[in-house]
Amino acid sequence: MHAQQTVYMPIVIEVSGNGAVSGTNFRDGALMAIDEINASGGILKRKINAPVSDTQSNAAISRAQVQKAIDGDPYVILGPVFSGSVKVNMQLAQQAEVPQIVGAEAAEITQMGNPYVFRTSFGQQMSMPKMAAFVANGMKAKTVAFLWVNNDYGKGGRDVFFQEMKQRGIKIVADVSTESGQVDFAADIVKMKASNADVMFIYTNEEECARVLREARKQGVKQPIIGETNVISQKVIDLAGETAEGAKGHVGLTADAPIPAVQAFTQKFQKRYNYVPDHNGLKGYMGVYAVKYATEKLGKFDRKALAKSLHGMTITPKQEPGILIETTWDANGDVDRISFLVEVVKGRQKVVEILPKLGK
């Protein structure tokens, strides 16, 4: 291993570029967990060494950074968050037999037979069915206008959601593709309004979500605006201000979950970083504690054994308080846990319903 007295756990993440909001939250959550673990003696009495590399939200750079991390003989690699980056670097970690704890949500990532990739949040094949059920049963919608970002994340979510809508007999009356980093959404919102859809579904990266919300309110959109995770994330709420009020959606994780352990995490995070974390902060934090628990259960540092043991593992807060919410990893590295329907109220997420684990 990198150094016998430490645990080398590099963080390869989006610190700059279009993914900076997501990556910074993930990094900060991971570093908070690492400092807590190191302060309490480390993992099996070894302190964690976790240097941070910036992918600049660029897939090619992420691949180079993961290769650089592998050259240092890591125990685990944390990140990235962007699905397009994970798709091009996960094979490097697989070839080196290094477990990779990622924040990516594109459905295909865990369907490619890589036994070393593990999510920290739902994949789209897990989250979109919950969102589709909300559209059909909670909102009683018959038509949807769908705006998505044209990258691996957006395309993956669109495909799964459209399939779910077809199964429920709900029509997609506007299918609007946008670009990552896009600034002007005026024409896109005009198309969405013209569709007269019952609801508008926004599925882009955080900063773009905020721009969409501002433009939608500017053009007087009356339909409910909904989304999966990003459009109702705390960072988007902060960026969009009052134009985010009333937005609804499904989130796999939220800093506002009515769970004492999550609320304690949120308070610690805010005190340390002076901002409210979004779901990515929780993902980074919980991912590190999952590695700690699984390693201590093994009683040794063995990368292959760690990957093998995480498949099918359930970790409860009683077993490892840092996991915050009972979480299960399946044979593909996908997670299953409770999740939340939320509405933006007075600048924060308000949880309106807690949804059970899919496996229960």
Side-chain angles (χ1 to χ4, degrees), residues 63-267:
R63 183 177 169 88
Q65 297 287 20
V66 165
Q67 182 59 63
K68 182 179 177 182
I70 289 171
D71 291 344
D73 194 19
Y75 178 55
V76 167
I77 293 174
L78 300 170
V81 170
F82 266 21
S83 297
S85 292
V86 173
K87 282 178 64 178
V88 303
N89 64 48
M90 59 188 267
Q91 288 183 334
L92 296 174
Q94 180 182 7
Q95 291 164 0
E97 298 180 325
V98 176
Q100 188 174 6
I101 312 296
V102 304
E105 299 183 6
E108 62 186 306
I109 284 174
T110 49
Q111 298 171 350
M112 300 170 72
N114 183 341
Y116 288 92
V117 67
F118 298 90
R119 295 192 199 274
T120 49
S121 63
F122 291 135
Q124 293 157 337
Q125 73 276 31
M126 308 284 277
S127 59
M128 283 302 185
K130 291 190 175 187
M131 194 63 211
F134 174 59
V135 172
N137 305 323
M139 306 199 77
K140 309 295 184 186
K142 302 298 182 185
T143 57
V144 176
F146 195 88
L147 184 148
W148 53 286
V149 59
N150 188 17
N151 58 19
D152 290 292
Y153 161 77
K155 290 166 63 178
R158 174 192 176 278
D159 291 348
V160 177
F161 184 76
F162 277 37
Q163 183 180 7
E164 294 291 330
M165 290 295 94
K166 184 177 180 181
Q167 291 176 357
R168 290 168 171 79
I170 298 173
K171 292 184 178 179
I172 305 294
V173 292
D175 179 11
V176 181
S177 168
T178 66
E179 296 303 316
S180 182
Q182 184 169 317
V183 175
D184 185 358
F185 288 91
D188 303 300
I189 294 300
V190 168
K191 292 179 186 175
M192 302 277 279
K193 283 186 67 178
S195 72
N196 290 317
D198 292 335
V199 297
M200 291 188 177
F201 194 119
I202 310 301
Y203 199 66
T204 65
N205 301 317
E206 281 91 343
E207 291 186 1
E208 296 132 48
C209 282
R211 295 172 189 138
V212 170
L213 288 170
R214 288 196 293 265
E215 183 61 35
R217 301 310 183 200
K218 181 181 177 182
Q219 293 194 26
V221 168
K222 301 300 183 185
Q223 294 100 326
I225 294 179
I226 63 173
E228 211 297 312
T229 299
N230 280 356
V231 78
I232 26 71
S233 74
Q234 189 59 49
K235 188 63 183 180
V236 171
I237 296 170
D238 293 342
L239 290 171
E242 63 181 14
T243 63
E245 289 292 307
K248 299 176 181 177
H250 169 260
V251 295
L253 293 166
T254 171
D256 289 315
I259 297 172
V262 175
Q263 293 176 359
F265 159 85
T266 302
Q267 291 175 1

Side-chain angles (χ1 to χ4, degrees), residues 16-61:
S16 61
N18 295 333
V21 172
S22 305
T24 299
N25 265 271
F26 188 100
R27 176 201 65 187
D28 290 348
L31 290 177
M32 192 166 83
I34 288 166
D35 285 350
E36 289 175 1
I37 293 168
N38 283 344
S40 62
I43 301 175
L44 298 177
K45 299 182 179 179
R46 291 188 192 176
K47 300 292 182 66
I48 301 171
N49 172 23
V52 177
S53 299
D54 182 11
T55 70
Q56 301 175 40
S57 305
N58 180 296
I61 294 174

